[in-house]
Amino acid sequence: MGETTVLVTRAEGYRTLALNRPERLNAFTGEMNRELMAALQEAEADPNCRALLLTGTGRGFCAGQDLEGIFVEGETPALGRTLETFYNPLLRKLRDIPMPVICAVNGVAAGAGANFALACDIVLAARSASFIQAFVKIGLVPDCGGTYFLPRLAGTQRAMALAMTGDRLSAADAERMGLVWKVVDDGQLMPEATRLAASLAAGPTRSLGLIKQAIYASSGNTLAAQLDLERNLQREIGKGADYREGVSAFLEKREPAFKGA
Ligand code: T3D
């Protein structure tokens, strides 16, 4: 049996999911899509897993859809079905999973790979990493949420230019445009990303899940609707043990020991 296309490493409170086809810059296959979905579902079902870290093995993060052998003689490509069956459920899961998902972009992120990175909650990038909306280069339109994330993160003008040119964006420029949280030296990427994952995993997990829900809901909400949402979320989270623990720890001048409850 061949090596798995997604390597899952368990640490205290979090899991690292590493896309693992380094000889193809971790280009997505159906198998990789299925393994990534299974890894996300298993993480979500494990109460001890309170954060996720997504990265790639080798010199690339992910080169998007594997383009080898995608055309079958006599058949019309059914890309709508591919998106509906594989990519869109994965994107929804990344956004809806009620725990922080950090992305450590270790190298080139192209096509679907770039947009998977943008779908994550906090994105760190190695200084040598880059982002390419490669779709136009092969006569497609951006998918995997690219036309949703780019204008929201970087503005319409930059989104349009990135999507229409397919130009390579350096990690430094991606940081400047607000596509990533932080660029770090290559050797510091995984130490920094695992520190962040461990720290978030020790946080008030339900709060973090609801923060994610509220921030992502905001771009489609009016202020009035968002204030209502915040009221509803605060009403629920205020009943939880971590709120009591957070306030007690503050008053007792000690570090809180959150249970994620
Ligand atoms: O089709 C559908 O189902 C719809 C969904 C579409 C979603 C998408 O993601 S569409 C976009 C697909 N991705 C691309 O168009 C990117 C293609 N790759 C590149 O443009 C370049 O590889 C990069 C700019 C990403 C990196 O360039 P470079 O020079 O650093 O590396 P390289 O030499 O091109 O790649 C290294 C190897 O990986 C190479 O194989 P080889 O020659 O050593 O045997 C290359 O062919 C392979 N590789 C890279 N990307 C892909 C790939 N093989 C298959 N599919 C790829 N996407």
Side-chain angles (χ1 to χ4, degrees), residues 24-25 59 63-67 79 82 112 132 135 143 168:
R24 285 278 172 271
L25 303 179
R59 72 176 176 90
Q65 170 66 34
D66 191 309
L67 301 174
L79 301 192
T82 308
I132 310 175
F135 308 88
D143 58 26
R168 188 188 285 255

Side-chain angles (χ1 to χ4, degrees), residues 28 83 87-88 91 111-116 118-119 135 142-147 149:
F28 274 115
L83 291 178
Y87 287 106
N88 291 354
L91 263 293
N115 296 334
F116 264 74
L118 299 185
F135 308 88
D143 58 26
C144 295
T147 58
F149 303 130

